[in-house]
Amino acid sequence: AFCVWLWNLRISYPDEEIYLAFIDISSCFRWPRISPDLVGAFGFVMGSIYFAANAMVFGSVVSASTWEPFRRAIAALATSYYFSSGLVRKHWSLLQLVQWDAAPGDGVRFARARRCGLNHGVFNEDGSRKATPHWIYVDDNLLADIRAGMFRTLAAAAEAIFTVLGFPAVAVRQCAVALDKWKELFVS
């Protein structure tokens, strides 16, 4: 599906650079909570101390399936937020941390993509732009858009992650977006 989106971007934007980015969600398996009845089954011993786990643990057989509803909700919300006005401004403090690849030179020619019965580009029949979809594999959100759309795409992703997992409150909990990786994000 991601390659199909790239192909459709190239159909609609034959002479523009397509930028790729990914966002990492912090410790994704700790977000789904464990029922109090099952805490004992997921606990662990270190030395002589028993630690009761109240959230999923990395490596558990059920961690991936309990994360799945969160992943799907974030992807759906991020796609739906693409056209929300004000998100770029709201998340500008995050967006300004992103590093961008230099624009291609004047002599660069991109490979051409042709429309077909299955691929019509990223514009609807009425001429409106389709929202950029989000592909989340475990805790990584893979994104592709042209530069003008990438700001909205990144802001929509941040808003969706914060909507589902909680807005930053570092005094209370870890930020849901892995800020260490966000600061190293190189959109190219």
Side-chain angles (χ1 to χ4, degrees):
F2 182 70
C3 290
V4 172
W5 177 251
L6 287 173
W7 186 260
N8 281 289
L9 277 170
R10 182 54 62 216
I11 289 169
S12 296
Y13 299 104
D15 299 314
E16 290 193 50
E17 179 80 14
I18 295 173
Y19 289 88
L20 303 176
F22 83 94
I23 299 173
D24 187 74
I25 299 168
S26 275
S27 307
C28 73
F29 294 133
R30 74 178 175 85
W31 295 101
R33 297 298 176 203
I34 296 173
S35 167
D37 297 336
L38 299 174
V39 166
F42 288 92
F44 55 94
V45 176
M46 288 182 71
S48 62
I49 301 173
Y50 176 78
F51 292 87
N54 66 349
M56 287 291 127
V57 293
F58 183 79
S60 170
V61 170
V62 297
S63 289
S65 60
T66 57
W67 169 247
E68 184 71 6
F70 293 84
R71 180 194 72 79
R72 286 179 180 241
I74 291 167
L77 283 172
T79 301
S80 71
Y81 287 158
Y82 183 78
F83 295 110
S84 297
S85 63
L87 287 184
V88 170
R89 185 173 49 255
K90 180 178 181 179
H91 296 293
W92 185 247
S93 61
L94 277 175
L95 295 173
Q96 67 185 359
L97 299 174
V98 173
Q99 301 171 55
W100 293 83
D101 196 5
D106 292 334
V108 173
R109 284 187 38 99
F110 299 107
R112 296 294 183 220
R114 295 198 171 117
R115 283 180 171 78
C116 67
L118 297 175
N119 299 294
H120 305 282
V122 298
F123 291 97
N124 296 309
E125 287 184 21
D126 65 0
S128 62
R129 165 73 195 264
K130 294 177 183 176
T132 299
H134 293 248
W135 288 273
I136 301 176
Y137 179 73
V138 186
D139 63 348
D140 293 320
N141 186 354
L142 184 59
L143 310 165
D145 209 335
I146 59 168
R147 187 178 182 108
M150 187 57 85
F151 287 100
R152 280 184 300 207
T153 301
L154 290 168
E159 183 73 9
I161 292 167
F162 296 149
T163 298
V164 173
L165 303 177
F167 284 83
V170 292
V172 179
R173 66 180 170 269
Q174 179 181 5
C175 183
V177 171
L179 293 176
D180 56 333
K181 293 179 183 174
W182 183 281
K183 291 174 185 174
E184 295 174 1
L185 177 58
F186 188 78
V187 180
S188 62

